[in-house]
Amino acid sequence: MRTRFAPSPTGPLHLGHAYSAMMAHDMARAAGGEFLLRIEDIDQTRARPEWEAQIYDDLRWLGLDWDGPVMRQSDRMAAYDAALDDLWARGLLYVCTCNRRDIQAAMSAPQEGVPTHGPDGLIYPGTCRDKPQPAARPADAVLRLRLADCLAETGPLSFEETGPAHAGQITIDPARMIAEVGDIVLARRDMGTSYHLSVVLDDATQAISDVIRGEDLFAATQIHVLLQRILGLPTPRYHHHRLIRDADGKRLAKRDDARAIGKYRADGCTPADIRQMVKP
Ligand code: GLU
């Protein structure tokens, strides 16, 4: 078994991160496997070296030792570019010039029961899909995935989930995915890549057997499985765990500095106290 913890260095690690990292670490160690670390710093406008340093420090304090070198997404742009070139050459991407307002205006009047948002945000109405495309992939553009074409190419998709909320073999329904996910952004103009593309390429390069992460990413997993298939990459097992919530039942976010591991450390808590706090 090989698991990973993949934080973004855009704020302090909080109790939810500690829970996720401990679970990925403990599951790997219990199986005699490996636990890897990856710094998801593609958003260079928000990533800070201080937060990255704090991540290493907090993980060491928690007693979570990781195997091998740390992977940093900012070192991986060549791999992301190569995948985008491949998808572009296969006609599976198109340039999108819509801004948020354009998308909202083009979306048909919201009907009851019809979702407007999917795991990648607003469900794109396809405005730019049939516009003529440049021969070469523009480096500085928003690129969307032709979801229906991809699904036609892959055939049936499924993945194995071991998390308690959805345990079993999960089958992806193509019609539902088209309606509820839509043509996702694979390259953002400000990043040259996207979370979905990077996470899939990196999990494959790190040879992750089991992706252990929060329940908030369950709906995005169908995107990852589709990308794995069209890029010829293996699909790992997935385990989505419950989210750690604050006293009001809201999930913790980066801004919840009160729940930062660093704050508990400063207050004299031990790693055992942290484990106790996130116990189901
Ligand atoms: N970097 C993501 C986060 O901090 C995690 C991505 C993943 O585990 O797939 O929420």
Side-chain angles (χ1 to χ4, degrees):
M1 180 182 285
R2 187 183 267 189
T3 67
R4 47 73 163 180
F5 177 54
S8 303
T10 55
L13 293 188
H14 56 56
L15 277 186
H17 294 106
Y19 179 63
S20 202
M22 289 187 300
M23 186 176 282
H25 169 272
D26 295 356
M27 280 174 72
R29 294 290 178 247
E34 291 178 309
F35 169 67
L36 274 57
L37 181 59
R38 179 165 77 231
I39 300 294
E40 301 217 319
D41 59 349
I42 49 174
D43 188 349
Q44 287 287 313
T45 62
R46 292 171 63 224
R48 297 265 178 282
E50 322 63 286
W51 293 128
E52 186 177 327
Q54 186 71 47
I55 288 170
Y56 302 135
D57 197 52
D58 283 341
L59 290 178
R60 286 200 189 96
W61 178 80
L62 285 165
L64 306 180
D65 49 324
W66 57 90
D67 295 295
V70 175
M71 176 179 275
R72 294 167 84 231
Q73 290 190 323
S74 52
D75 296 332
R76 301 255 308 142
M77 290 312 293
Y80 308 148
D81 269 330
L84 290 169
D85 283 340
D86 171 39
L87 295 174
W88 181 268
R90 290 159 62 191
L92 294 174
L93 301 176
Y94 60 91
V95 174
C96 178
T97 55
C98 298
N99 60 31
R100 206 185 155 75
R101 214 164 350 109
D102 298 331
I103 297 174
Q104 269 161 338
M107 286 172 81
S108 47
Q111 283 164 272
E112 211 175 326
V114 178
T116 54
H117 285 73
D120 194 52
L122 283 171
I123 300 167
Y124 187 61
T127 318
C128 291
R129 192 185 296 136
D130 298 322
K131 292 189 181 160
Q133 297 296 315
R137 177 173 74 86
D140 181 26
V142 172
L143 302 178
R144 287 187 184 271
L145 186 69
R146 295 184 191 276
L147 183 65
D149 293 0
C150 289
L151 286 164
E153 211 173 277
T154 63
L157 294 172
S158 68
F159 64 95
E160 188 183 342
E161 169 70 34
T162 62
H166 312 271
Q169 192 70 23
I170 309 290
T171 305
I172 298 168
D173 175 344
R176 207 166 151 187
M177 190 171 178
I178 290 168
E180 297 180 4
V181 178
D183 289 354
I184 57 158
V185 171
L186 266 210
R188 284 175 51 167
R189 202 207 305 270
D190 49 344
M191 292 181 188
T193 179
S194 60
Y195 160 66
H196 302 299
L197 180 67
S198 299
V199 84
V200 154
L201 290 168
D202 296 347
D203 283 336
T205 299
Q206 289 190 304
I208 302 302
S209 68
D210 293 77
V211 170
I212 294 156
R213 61 185 180 190
E215 173 65 24
D216 53 328
L217 288 167
F218 179 76
T221 305
Q222 55 189 323
I223 300 172
H224 301 166
V225 172
L226 173 85
L227 290 174
Q228 284 149 5
R229 189 69 72 85
I230 59 170
L231 292 167
L233 304 172
T235 292
R237 263 188 308 266
Y238 285 88
H239 183 109
H240 292 90
H241 59 68
R242 72 190 171 91
L243 300 178
I244 303 297
R245 298 180 185 277
D246 65 14
D248 303 325
K250 286 208 308 283
R251 55 177 285 221
L252 300 182
K254 285 272 155 68
R255 60 186 176 280
D256 291 315
D257 286 9
R259 301 293 176 120
I261 302 304
K263 176 80 168 52
Y264 289 107
R265 290 174 63 177
D267 289 348
C269 287
T270 65
D273 294 331
I274 301 285
R275 282 188 180 267
Q276 194 58 38
M277 278 181 245
V278 297
K279 248 176 104 163

